Amino acid sequence: MTHSIRTQVAIIGAGPAGLLLGQLLHRAGIDAVIVERVSGEYVLGRIRAGVLEQVTIDLLEEAGVGERMHREGLVHGGFEMMYGGLRHRIDLQALTAGKKVMVYGQTEVTHDLMNARRAAGLPTYYEATDVQVHDFDTTHPRVTFKQGDQSFELACDFIAGCDGFHGVCRASVPPGAIREFEKVYPFGWLGLLADTPPVHDELLYVNSPRGFALCSQRSKTRSRYYLQVPLTDRVQDWTDDAFWQELRLRLDDATCAGLVTGPSLEKSIAPLRSFVTEPMRFGRMFLAGDAAHIVPPTGAKGLNLAATDVKYLSNALIEFYQEHSEAGIDSYSARCLRRIWKAERFSWWFTTLMHRFPEDSGITARFQEAELDYLLHSHAGSTSIAENYVGLPLDFAERSL
Ligand code: RFL
Ligand code: PHB
């Protein structure tokens, strides 16, 4: 027997994009059902993003989940970049008329959104298998899935594909209707999470002859560090000791002196990729977040882009239901892409500036040093980094046209 369910918006994926969309729609009185492939615990176990832009902070507030973020998140008015063994501070606040970022982990954002959804009694089907999207080229799309031995059919007005890079929604679009742009980098990031105080109270991005390193954090007592590693490395071959030793070799002596090491809580390797799908709307199905685009993590843009896609999408759907206007859904893809390409450009550029590229004769490293020397001693150069890092305003693309 198949259980039939009816909703206005079927959301595929309960990552930050899907959960935030569900919350924004709920607050506007629009029904949504979320279907997620894995369990809630599994979603919370993925250690990912750490830095929120102001627009994301505003959106989480708007969704009614800002309270713990403001209590526990760490506001950062700057970050540091190191090259040639010297540290330079990018004063975000001074360079962007007072803008800041917030260090608050994706795990916490997801946790807060899950709690709000549960408290409001909104339906989420976790551990769904065989999820399929149908008829999104008509006004009556459907989603079918199984949970245990039960079968479900979800009839809806719209499908929101918030199912990440490996999801089913983008894969269900006929190949002729979609164009994909991709760049895969010849290295990955090995990340380590530890309950040790961060080496510095702000983030430190390091360009070193041995490769990129990042000293990040989740709280005053929890650190997150990353090392650039070859794609052939396997996480099981990296002991904690080997990680700390390699990190030390990429830092200057003064920073090393303040480094507190400890056992890892989590270690993983992530490949680096730039990827964009055009368009992001296919009839009554929309893609949002990692389902539509991937950035290398160097600019800390992935989660923030997912949040702004969802902002545009929720506005468009609210306009559809409340004002009977299709203007928002018609312009959704173009508005998102204008913003996305700017963040893609920044993330690609920042990655290229800070990493060691295999098979380089040494000229790229010299170019990087010259560029860093220029940028960090030029007000215009530093301002450009700061303006992109804190995130362009939501209406930036519109204003610049
Ligand atoms: P997610 O988080 O991948 O969630 C998609 C959800 O969809 C589910 N799913 C399905 N559900 C039903 N049916 C199917 N067939 C399905 N297939 C998949 C998945 O199980 C999953 O739960 O995508 P979303 O919501 O778009 O969120 C995007 C962010 O997760 C991502 O962009 C960021 O984590 C990227 N990122 C960072 N972003 C930042 O803004 N700042 C950062 O500092 C930052 N650091 C990072 C990062 C990503 C990293 N990794 C590991 C990729 C650091 C790292 C190391
Ligand atoms: C993180 O803390 O996970 C993090 C911070 C900044 C980045 C990427 C990842 O640019």
Side-chain angles (χ1 to χ4, degrees):
M1 190 191 107
T2 300
H3 301 273
S4 297
I5 319 167
R6 159 83 207 154
T7 190
Q8 290 173 298
V9 183
I11 301 174
I12 315 300
L19 288 168
L20 180 60
L21 179 63
Q23 198 61 20
L24 292 171
L25 293 178
H26 168 63
R27 289 175 85 85
I30 298 169
D31 273 356
V33 170
I34 303 187
V35 181
E36 164 61 54
R37 189 169 48 92
V38 298
S39 67
E41 295 72 52
Y42 189 91
V43 173
L44 287 175
R46 294 190 293 225
I47 308 298
R48 289 186 169 179
V51 179
L52 307 182
E53 296 174 0
Q54 187 62 49
V55 289
T56 307
I57 298 168
D58 295 346
L59 269 170
L60 292 169
E61 276 170 21
E62 189 183 326
V65 293
E67 198 246 333
R68 190 166 72 100
M69 170 183 73
H70 281 298
R71 206 162 11 102
E72 296 179 14
L74 303 173
V75 174
H76 283 200
F79 70 90
E80 292 195 6
M81 292 169 70
M82 191 172 110
Y83 72 99
L86 297 173
R87 283 165 58 168
H88 302 258
R89 183 164 188 264
I90 296 285
D91 188 334
L92 294 173
Q93 269 184 286
L95 293 164
T96 64
K99 291 194 185 152
K100 298 168 215 153
V101 294
M102 166 101 76
V103 168
Y104 189 63
Q106 178 166 332
T107 310
E108 308 311 321
V109 172
T110 311
H111 204 269
D112 295 345
L113 285 163
M114 280 168 85
N115 281 349
R117 190 163 180 85
R118 200 177 306 118
L122 302 172
T124 310
Y125 291 83
Y126 281 103
E127 298 182 84
T129 56
D130 197 17
V131 179
Q132 292 182 35
V133 291
H134 312 268
D135 304 336
F136 50 85
D137 54 346
T138 74
T139 50
H140 294 89
R142 291 177 302 123
V143 177
T144 54
F145 62 96
K146 294 196 176 74
Q147 201 186 38
D149 55 5
Q150 309 278 308
S151 296
F152 295 83
E153 180 174 276
L154 189 53
C156 57
D157 301 329
F158 296 101
I159 297 173
C162 302
D163 50 350
F165 184 62
H166 300 287
V168 66
C169 293
R170 192 181 72 249
S172 304
V173 174
I178 192 167
R179 182 158 180 208
E180 295 178 351
F181 299 82
E182 184 173 45
K183 180 178 176 63
V184 177
Y185 298 83
F187 40 73
W189 277 21
L190 168 66
L192 180 146
L193 187 74
D195 270 338
T196 55
V199 68
H200 181 50
D201 53 9
E202 295 183 336
L203 270 62
L204 174 61
Y205 291 80
V206 181
N207 175 316
S208 112
R210 297 183 66 91
F212 171 81
L214 170 60
C215 304
S216 183
Q217 52 188 261
R218 289 292 176 273
S219 70
K220 299 251 185 237
T221 56
R222 183 167 284 189
S223 313
R224 179 74 166 159
Y225 295 100
Y226 294 98
L227 294 174
Q228 172 187 351
V229 293
L231 279 175
T232 44
D233 277 19
R234 296 180 321 159
V235 69
Q236 58 269 36
D237 297 334
W238 275 92
T239 61
D240 290 359
D241 280 349
F243 184 98
W244 295 119
Q245 199 180 334
E246 182 59 35
L247 178 62
R248 280 202 189 88
L249 293 172
R250 298 186 189 189
L251 299 174
D252 61 306
D253 290 347
T255 310
C256 278
L259 181 68
V260 183
T261 63
S264 64
L265 301 170
E266 191 262 5
K267 259 196 319 247
S268 52
I269 295 184
L272 266 66
R273 177 193 312 273
S274 298
F275 174 86
V276 181
T277 298
E278 288 184 356
M280 290 167 58
R281 176 200 177 184
F282 307 90
R284 288 281 184 119
M285 181 167 80
F286 305 92
L287 301 180
D290 279 16
H293 44 77
I294 297 288
V295 284
T298 325
K301 295 284 169 239
L303 172 60
N304 292 296
L305 276 183
T308 45
D309 288 356
V310 159
K311 170 68 177 163
Y312 291 136
L313 184 54
S314 62
N315 281 355
L317 293 170
I318 293 168
E319 206 177 298
F320 177 87
Y321 285 110
Q322 294 181 354
E323 296 165 29
H324 309 289
S325 161
E326 300 205 5
I329 59 178
D330 286 345
S331 59
Y332 168 73
S333 178
R335 291 187 86 185
C336 286
L337 285 164
R338 243 182 261 146
R339 183 176 178 80
I340 289 159
W341 276 114
K342 289 179 185 62
E344 289 278 349
R345 197 276 321 158
F346 177 67
S347 307
W348 156 77
W349 170 81
F350 202 23
T351 301
T352 308
L353 183 67
M354 298 303 286
H355 289 72
R356 279 289 171 275
F357 284 77
E359 299 174 29
D360 171 39
S361 66
I363 193 168
T364 309
R366 288 286 187 278
F367 285 151
Q368 290 175 343
E369 277 179 29
E371 188 168 1
L372 283 160
D373 221 21
Y374 160 66
L375 290 168
L376 298 171
H377 294 98
S378 147
H379 188 74
S382 304
T383 305
S384 172
I385 298 178
E387 179 172 63
N388 281 281
Y389 194 84
V390 298
L392 299 175
L394 263 182
D395 61 350
F396 177 86
E398 275 108 290
R399 285 192 287 135
S400 68
L401 281 180

